[in-house]
Amino acid sequence: MSNFNYRFVLKTIGFLLVIESLFMMSATIVSFYLHEAAGDAMLISSTITFFAGAFIRLVGTEDFPKPIGKRESFFMVAVSWIVLSAFGMLPYYLSNSIPSVSNAYFETISGLTATGATILNDIESMPKGLLFWRSITQWMGGLGIVLFVATILPMGGNASVMYDAEVTGIGYDRFRPRISQIAKRLWLVYIFLTGILVVLLWIGPMSLFDAVCHAFTTISTAGFSTKQDSIAHWNSAYIEYVITLFMFIGGINFTLIYFFMKGSAKKLYQNEEFKWYVSIIILFVVIIAIGLYSTGKIEGVEKAFRTSLFQVVAMLTTTCYSTDNIIGWGSFYQFLVIIFMVFGACAGSTAGGIKIVRIIILFKNSINEFKRQVHPNAILPIRLNNHVISIDVVTKVLAFIFLYLAILIFSCLLLSLSGMQFENALGAAVSCLGNVGGGLAEIGNTGSFSEVPTESKWYLSFLMLTGRLELFTVLSLFMPAFWRR
């Protein structure tokens, strides 16, 4: 540990807190503009966060003496999300809007990890400044907090290690510029799409405030709403189709979106994961729409199609908005929802879950195993987008999926021991590990996590962090071998 670059960790976390305080100040301005009593608490919170960040950054002012390794990178990325959540909960706690520390922290880390699980049962009663802050946390965390730092803070070769520690998936398309340039371009795409969505929602029945908040939480595939009934509040086909489109976009690898906007549409259309993503959506939208219409659960062909399309995209992209109570559809549809929550969308997107690219590799590897039974000496490489996937990558994918499922099983058992019913425990574990937000039974897509035991909320907060950083970044910190020189 003597060569651990703690100054780098402190400097970066301090910088992140300063950035968080500026975002928090924007919500403070909204609160004061609307003459809300919570404005004072938000101003105090943003001030505390700013000076804490400035002090921590000052402690780590020494230039980085050498490129950082995975220890510093993994530790910094994991701790930064924990620290930002601790300071991010201050507006809720100091304003007494969420007077419980466990609830306030749960709500904040759910926002920053773009999970969308909430403890609120009367969202409309919350001050708008806090609802704005709640939406900003999801927008900040959607693409990646550390990725945002890489666009501003010069890090040299360190940025690449941090990028790998936070960005989702098994790999990414390399740009010619360095990682800081990649981060800038991805964030420009992110901001551009957010702005377009704000305008489109504002044209519809949403107010400007609601349009901005929902643009933040849609493009980040996170799911916080300013209404207790979520998107169903507006009962608008226009709103549902617009949000569906942008949830779909949010579930695509942002690198591919960047290339698409640059005129390289072939990279998107020829991408194998994208093809699977579209195919899964089409298949299940048709199945569910036919089921809902034929059983009379939803009247009208267009309404059945729209509801099916919205909910399939919302669950697969782990956004978890709702326009209807999925729990009331029956056990068959709930089973499909669990599958969507586990799968997630594309790697490199803002969605959670295992990611479709890993499912593709698992599927192709399983097919090869059948072929090896007949041709044991055959060399059968796994190809993705016409590139051979190395054995190391396949092994890591298999290990990831095993760990993911093992953690789900362990989490269900642990949550059940706390007194939660099995359906609630299963839904909560899948929801938080996959950064989805919804659940089953009482904590379904129209419910909340308010009645979850306090100790379980802390564990679920850990699950949200672990899922957002894709298991290895967080779990590696608990391995003694990871800290050896």
Side-chain angles (χ1 to χ4, degrees):
M1 288 295 292
S2 60
N3 65 337
F4 187 81
N5 194 345
Y6 71 92
R7 287 189 179 274
F8 164 78
V9 175
L10 291 174
K11 183 173 183 176
T12 308
I13 291 177
F15 185 80
L16 281 166
L17 284 173
V18 171
I19 295 298
E20 182 181 38
S21 72
L22 298 179
F23 279 113
M24 200 181 292
M25 184 57 71
S26 68
T28 303
I29 293 171
V30 170
S31 193
F32 277 123
Y33 177 78
L34 297 173
H35 306 289
E36 294 178 331
D40 292 337
M42 296 192 68
L43 179 60
I44 293 170
S45 301
S46 57
T47 303
I48 291 173
T49 304
F50 177 83
F51 283 106
F55 174 76
I56 294 172
R57 180 168 165 74
L58 188 64
V59 173
T61 49
E62 181 182 314
D63 291 336
F64 307 149
K66 57 184 178 299
I68 63 169
K70 284 192 174 181
R71 289 188 305 171
E72 291 92 343
S73 176
F74 282 26
F75 181 79
M76 189 281 300
V77 169
V79 171
S80 65
W81 287 75
I82 295 170
V83 172
L84 288 174
S85 298
F87 282 88
M89 77 173 191
L90 291 177
Y92 301 125
Y93 185 71
L94 295 182
S95 66
N96 209 37
S97 295
I98 304 180
S100 163
V101 171
S102 57
N103 283 344
Y105 191 87
F106 182 92
E107 194 76 13
T108 308
I109 199 167
S110 175
L112 287 172
T113 57
T115 301
T118 182
I119 54 87
L120 299 178
N121 291 310
D122 186 10
I123 294 173
E124 284 94 333
S125 67
M126 291 284 286
K128 286 191 173 182
L130 288 178
L131 291 180
F132 190 72
W133 169 239
R134 189 169 173 261
S135 300
I136 287 178
T137 58
Q138 295 204 315
W139 190 78
M140 288 167 57
L143 200 57
I145 299 171
V146 177
L147 186 64
F148 180 78
V149 174
T151 68
I152 303 172
L153 191 64
M155 294 183 181
N158 300 326
S160 160
V161 186
M162 291 169 54
Y163 188 94
D164 291 336
E166 185 182 58
V167 173
T168 62
I170 62 169
Y172 51 88
D173 290 335
R174 291 277 184 185
F175 290 82
R176 290 180 182 175
R178 57 182 182 268
I179 296 296
S180 60
Q181 293 299 316
I182 298 176
K184 287 176 184 177
R185 293 176 185 188
L186 294 183
W187 267 95
L188 284 175
V189 170
Y190 193 60
I191 293 168
F192 173 76
L193 291 172
T194 304
I196 294 296
L197 182 53
V198 169
V199 174
L200 291 175
L201 292 176
W202 194 17
I203 291 172
M206 282 191 182
S207 66
L208 177 59
F209 174 80
D210 289 327
V212 171
C213 289
H214 284 86
F216 285 160
T217 59
T218 297
I219 202 62
S220 60
T221 61
F224 275 163
S225 176
T226 56
K227 306 297 180 183
Q228 191 66 40
D229 291 334
S230 190
I231 307 304
H233 172 86
W234 284 275
N235 192 27
S236 165
Y238 171 80
I239 291 294
E240 290 173 29
Y241 280 124
V242 168
I243 286 181
T244 299
L245 173 61
F246 279 82
M247 287 191 297
F248 173 79
I249 293 172
I252 302 171
N253 187 323
F254 267 76
T255 302
L256 295 177
I257 297 174
Y258 170 80
F259 283 126
F260 178 83
M261 295 176 69
K262 289 287 289 183
S264 301
K266 284 186 178 180
K267 281 186 175 287
L268 177 63
Y269 299 141
Q270 294 178 354
N271 182 269
E272 200 167 343
E273 185 181 27
F274 177 74
K275 291 178 182 178
W276 275 61
Y277 177 50
V278 174
S279 300
I280 290 171
I281 290 174
I282 292 173
L283 174 63
F284 286 101
V285 165
V286 171
I287 291 173
I288 293 176
I290 292 174
L292 293 177
Y293 178 73
S294 62
T295 57
K297 289 182 170 65
I298 293 182
E299 296 181 0
V301 175
E302 187 277 333
K303 181 66 182 299
F305 167 76
R306 176 169 25 108
T307 303
S308 173
L309 177 64
F310 186 94
Q311 295 299 168
V312 168
V313 175
M315 300 308 296
L316 188 62
T317 61
T318 66
T319 310
C320 209
Y321 280 143
S322 66
T323 56
D324 203 83
N325 184 9
I326 297 175
I327 307 304
W329 293 357
S331 56
F332 170 74
Y333 301 97
Q334 291 181 51
F335 178 73
L336 292 182
V337 165
I338 289 291
I339 293 175
F340 297 150
M341 291 166 72
V342 171
F343 273 26
C346 301
S349 69
T350 57
I354 287 176
K355 304 294 186 303
I356 292 173
V357 67
R358 292 192 179 98
I359 303 299
I360 296 172
I361 292 173
L362 179 65
F363 174 78
K364 290 188 174 184
N365 187 65
S366 299
I367 294 298
N368 281 355
E369 287 302 317
F370 281 107
K371 292 179 180 178
R372 289 188 186 101
Q373 298 301 312
V374 181
H375 306 287
N377 297 320
I379 298 175
L380 302 170
I382 295 174
R383 295 181 180 274
L384 187 68
N385 299 320
N386 296 319
H387 296 289
V388 175
I389 301 297
S390 70
I391 296 298
D392 288 343
V393 171
V394 175
T395 301
K396 189 172 182 179
V397 167
L398 295 176
F400 180 91
I401 294 176
F402 169 77
L403 276 175
Y404 198 95
L405 297 178
I407 291 171
L408 278 182
I409 294 171
F410 173 79
S411 298
C412 287
L413 292 173
L414 191 63
L415 293 172
S416 297
L417 282 175
S418 71
M420 294 179 65
Q421 296 295 319
F422 173 73
E423 283 190 345
N424 287 332
L426 175 62
V430 173
S431 171
C432 292
L433 185 61
N435 303 129
V436 185
L440 300 175
E442 288 87 354
I443 54 174
N445 65 318
T446 57
S448 79
F449 286 69
S450 59
E451 298 303 317
V452 172
T454 299
E455 61 275 14
S456 295
K457 285 174 186 167
W458 286 109
Y459 178 73
L460 291 173
S461 296
F462 170 75
L463 276 190
M464 286 187 266
L465 176 65
T466 304
R468 176 59 183 82
L469 298 181
E470 302 228 304
L471 309 188
F472 292 110
T473 298
V474 176
L475 298 183
S476 294
L477 303 180
F478 296 94
M479 302 297 168
F482 183 79
W483 297 103
R484 297 190 191 119
R485 293 186 61 180

